[in-house]
Amino acid sequence: MEYRTEWLRSFVAVAEHGGFSAAAAALYRSQSRVSAHVAALEKALHVKLFDRTLPPTVLTPEGRELLPLAGMVLRQTRRITETAAEVRRGRRGEVRLGICTGAAPFLLPRTLMWLRRVRPDVRVETAEDTTAALRSQLREGRLDLAVVPVSGDGEDAEPLLGWSRLWREQFVVVAAGDMAAELPARLSPAELRGRPLVMTDDAADALAGVLPGAGRGGRASLPSHDPGRPPAVLRTPQAQTVVALVRLGCGVGVADLLALHATDLTDVTSVRLTGTPTHREMALGRRTDRADSPALRAVARCVRLAALPAAAAQSRSGAPPFPAR
């Protein structure tokens, strides 16, 4: 059985004000209309809510039992209305945001910091995953926004997905011990051939065309130092793992510059890659066939604000801001 909200409102008003006349005045309605509302509610519920035999009008036992529930329904109805208004203004809402593993340590804390400042009541459900997984989730509608690498022009020819460029991601070579001493001041990707490599998945995907074994099929348990065997490539989604393996002498590492900012770089030397491909374009993606909610626009704005230091850092020339040669 469905009950109209105005029936409940009239019922509660009669109970609170002690009569139909006082309730009508409080609700700015006619007394006949308030009486009709209460009668309709009594008919729908098959109970009498008020004893009308003697003045003043009083609640029946059934009415006393149902009054708190009616009040609760009205309070929840008001809350729905108020929340909807806040959602329309972008002050409330929930957004599902995915960030690829390499960018998350840098971008996610800054995005949440900005969101806390400008829209503290907007909730963000976050996901860190591979680029392929995040793209799939975005296509399927399981994510509202995703920050992933895209093609060099900042656009991918993929239906339903639209991209806005955030920054250009620089890849960096890291080494330790004797391997660091052997590296020149700058390297091209081709000069990494023949070396045992430890790479993030994103770097391996970007450099797969110039580094044999960097593709998905080249995953190995540990890079080989045996001159009689071709060098293998160890892939990992985490820049922290790359640096830890490099520090232990397991190979030369390749990761993106910003991911390394959130990593302990003690005893590690970095070398900037030159030539192409030595970078990737990072972009914010969304479904183009869906209307943007105010909350989604607020989160997207905070992502762009968080990305500004990355864009500025990547636009500067020179060595990375950690021990380098």
Side-chain angles (χ1 to χ4, degrees):
M1 180 65 66
E2 295 181 359
Y3 312 117
R4 295 172 61 176
T5 304
E6 59 183 1
W7 297 355
L8 298 175
R9 189 172 293 112
S10 291
F11 165 45
V12 171
V14 172
E16 289 180 346
H17 294 280
F20 287 84
S21 177
L27 295 175
Y28 299 98
R29 293 173 177 168
S30 66
Q31 183 174 338
S32 61
R33 189 175 183 186
V34 172
S35 297
H37 289 170
V38 174
L41 183 59
E42 289 177 324
K43 182 178 179 180
L45 295 174
H46 303 288
V47 297
K48 286 294 183 183
L49 299 173
F50 294 101
D51 183 353
R52 301 173 177 83
T53 59
L54 294 173
T57 302
V58 295
L59 287 163
T60 63
E62 295 85 355
R64 292 196 299 270
E65 185 71 20
L66 295 175
L67 180 62
L69 297 177
M72 181 180 66
V73 170
L74 293 177
R75 287 192 296 274
Q76 291 299 323
T77 301
R78 286 194 295 270
R79 184 177 178 184
I80 289 172
T81 303
E82 292 166 358
T83 300
E86 292 180 344
V87 168
R88 288 195 303 271
R89 294 193 295 268
R91 298 186 181 279
R92 292 177 68 94
E94 181 177 283
V95 176
R96 296 164 297 180
L97 170 66
I99 304 180
C100 66
T101 305
F106 170 84
L107 191 65
L108 182 55
R110 289 166 173 79
T111 298
L112 297 180
M113 176 194 70
W114 276 108
L115 193 64
R116 188 169 61 246
R117 291 180 181 178
V118 301
R119 288 292 187 270
D121 292 325
V122 172
R123 301 184 307 277
V124 177
E125 180 182 327
T126 62
E128 297 180 36
D129 213 325
T130 64
T131 297
L134 294 178
R135 282 177 174 272
S136 176
Q137 294 172 44
L138 191 61
R139 282 193 301 269
E140 296 167 3
R142 290 182 286 149
L143 288 177
D144 302 308
L145 296 168
V147 177
V148 296
V150 296
S151 58
D153 58 3
E155 297 288 340
D156 278 7
E158 187 169 359
L160 302 183
L161 298 186
W163 304 95
S164 58
R165 183 182 180 277
L166 296 174
W167 74 84
R168 174 172 289 186
E169 189 83 69
Q170 178 73 44
F171 291 116
V172 176
V173 177
V174 291
D178 294 339
M179 289 188 181
E182 296 174 1
L183 293 180
R186 289 179 178 268
L187 279 171
S188 69
E191 291 177 281
L192 293 174
R193 294 174 183 171
R195 298 178 183 272
L197 296 175
V198 183
M199 307 178 71
T200 59
D201 284 330
D202 290 334
D205 289 341
L207 302 179
V210 294
L211 291 176
R216 289 286 179 187
R219 188 181 294 272
S221 59
L222 195 67
S224 172
H225 293 265
D226 184 353
R229 297 173 56 195
V233 174
L234 174 62
R235 295 175 55 134
T236 171
Q238 298 289 348
Q240 294 93 327
T241 305
V242 169
V243 173
L245 289 169
V246 166
R247 191 179 289 117
L248 292 175
C250 295
V252 175
V254 183
D256 53 274
L257 176 58
L258 291 175
L260 293 172
H261 282 196
T263 304
D264 178 10
L265 298 165
T266 305
D267 300 326
V268 171
T269 298
S270 72
V271 173
R272 189 181 293 274
L273 282 172
T274 61
T276 56
T278 60
H279 63 270
R280 60 181 179 175
E281 300 288 336
M282 299 297 297
L284 177 65
R286 51 174 287 274
R287 286 279 295 265
T288 57
D289 61 333
R290 295 182 176 179
D292 291 344
S293 68
L296 187 147
R297 290 195 294 270
V299 173
R301 176 171 175 262
C302 289
V303 169
R304 295 186 186 97
L305 288 171
L308 287 177
Q314 297 290 357
S315 67
R316 292 194 295 266
S317 60
F322 52 84
R325 296 178 55 210

